[in-house]
Amino acid sequence: MDMGIKGRTAIVCAGSKGLGKGCAEALAAEGVNLVINARGVEALEATAADLRKRYSVKVTAVACDVTTAEGRAKLLAACPDPDILVNNAGGPPPGDFRDWDEKAWHAAVEANMVTPIMLIKATVDRMIARKFGRIVNITSAAVKSPIPNLGLSNGARAGLTGFVAGLSRQIAKHNVTINGLLPGPFETDRLRSMLASGAKASGKSVDEVADARRKSNPTERFGTAEEFGAACAFLCSAHAGYIVGQNIVLDGGAFGGTL
Ligand code: NAP
């Protein structure tokens, strides 16, 4: 299926590894030119070079912390006018809510709520003027079903989801959409570090914890960044203009609701 976005330009935040990289790759495969970002230069440049080589699209790498105003300014200077924006950043740390002070809450809200909102604000009006825009926020299955030790994520991402639920309906008439992709367990560095902290807390090995986690999922496996990227590319496609303000859970069926 041709996604109808060849020649478009996308910003993919936090796109050097994991789910962001999966999205960048799926968009590159559709002929989308990319501006990708991460803090670490080495992995970012390696991903950019790999995507350029394999997909013959233009890939600009912007090394910065997207959760800071300076980082976002650098990213937008490289690409002030994207057709597609994939919002993503690292997730907040796990823990007990008694240990999180105001600073921890401000950091989580800045990274996982304010940052995507600021990038949407900076780009959405030109998408509206052009009558095409696709914005995908990578959040978490925790938005649908809170994860007890990820309270910072549950809270900050729910805030973003609430804001875009309203905004997405205000701008849909201009063929500009905003949707959320809510990952369950995908095999990335983030998951591996969560499994390691689970192993430490329980006294089990990382392999034991990973096996139990796989078996607890209806698919009995973790998701892949390629699967995640394919869903993102479809939401960014020319065909997806009627998918508005949705929060699509990609979790192998782990969320047990009928709807
Ligand atoms: P990952 O494999 O650890 O990759 C994170 C990517 O984000 C890297 O490219 C990293 O590069 C970049 N990054 C992190 N902080 C950044 C920042 N402040 N500015 C710019 N780039 C930044 O993580 P992932 O699994 O893809 O997770 C992506 C998002 O989905 C996270 O918010 C995570 O919490 C959420 N999520 C993941 C899962 C899962 O199972 N994987 C489940 C639910 C939710 P640098 O470190 O070099 O900056």
Side-chain angles (χ1 to χ4, degrees):
M1 185 179 189
D2 178 357
M3 297 291 168
I5 47 176
K6 190 173 171 22
R8 297 270 186 199
T9 299
I11 292 179
V12 181
C13 303
S16 68
K17 299 178 192 166
L19 304 180
K21 183 179 174 186
C23 295
E25 176 156 3
L27 290 169
E30 293 303 321
V32 173
N33 297 312
L34 299 172
V35 176
I36 61 170
N37 139 268
R39 293 163 304 177
V41 179
E42 206 176 314
L44 181 67
E45 291 292 352
T47 296
D50 178 51
L51 295 179
R52 271 182 218 116
K53 191 169 153 202
R54 287 195 291 134
Y55 299 105
S56 302
V57 292
K58 197 175 160 205
V59 185
T60 305
V62 182
C64 63
D65 182 342
V66 76
T67 67
T68 65
E70 303 75 48
R72 292 190 290 274
K74 200 172 164 190
L75 187 55
L76 290 165
C79 185
D81 197 12
D83 302 294
I84 293 165
L85 169 65
V86 179
N87 278 314
N88 186 28
D96 185 285
F97 79 94
R98 293 171 191 84
D99 299 329
W100 298 324
D101 56 14
E102 270 191 59
K103 205 170 145 215
W105 273 107
H106 284 298
V109 168
E110 182 71 30
N112 298 112
M113 180 180 172
V114 175
T115 290
I117 291 172
M118 289 299 111
L119 289 173
I120 291 169
K121 184 181 170 208
T123 55
V124 77
D125 282 330
R126 282 187 293 269
M127 293 181 184
I128 289 172
R130 206 167 38 243
K131 293 278 177 205
F132 180 89
R134 298 286 183 263
I135 299 170
V136 172
N137 296 322
I138 299 179
T139 62
S140 171
V143 169
K144 180 109 174 165
S145 179
I147 300 169
N149 69 338
L150 283 175
L152 292 169
S153 173
N154 300 337
R157 296 185 199 278
L160 170 67
T161 305
F163 170 70
V164 298
L167 179 63
S168 61
R169 279 132 181 125
Q170 284 170 256
I171 62 176
K173 65 184 173 201
H174 302 291
N175 190 26
V176 178
T177 67
I178 311 179
N179 291 288
L181 277 180
L182 283 55
F186 279 79
E187 198 147 15
T188 66
D189 287 355
R190 165 81 174 174
L191 181 71
R192 283 184 278 275
S193 83
M194 301 301 283
L195 293 172
S197 57
K200 203 172 159 196
S202 64
K204 293 181 182 154
S205 73
V206 176
D207 283 348
E208 281 174 309
V209 173
D211 279 348
R213 187 82 195 275
R214 282 192 199 91
K215 288 204 180 87
S216 72
N217 189 282
T219 62
E220 297 193 359
R221 66 178 178 88
F222 296 135
T224 68
E226 290 74 21
E227 290 172 306
F228 193 87
C232 178
F234 183 75
L235 283 182
C236 295
S237 76
H239 312 294
Y242 212 58
I243 303 177
V244 172
Q246 299 303 300
N247 289 288
I248 298 168
V249 182
L250 301 182
D251 70 347
F255 180 75
T258 301
L259 293 174

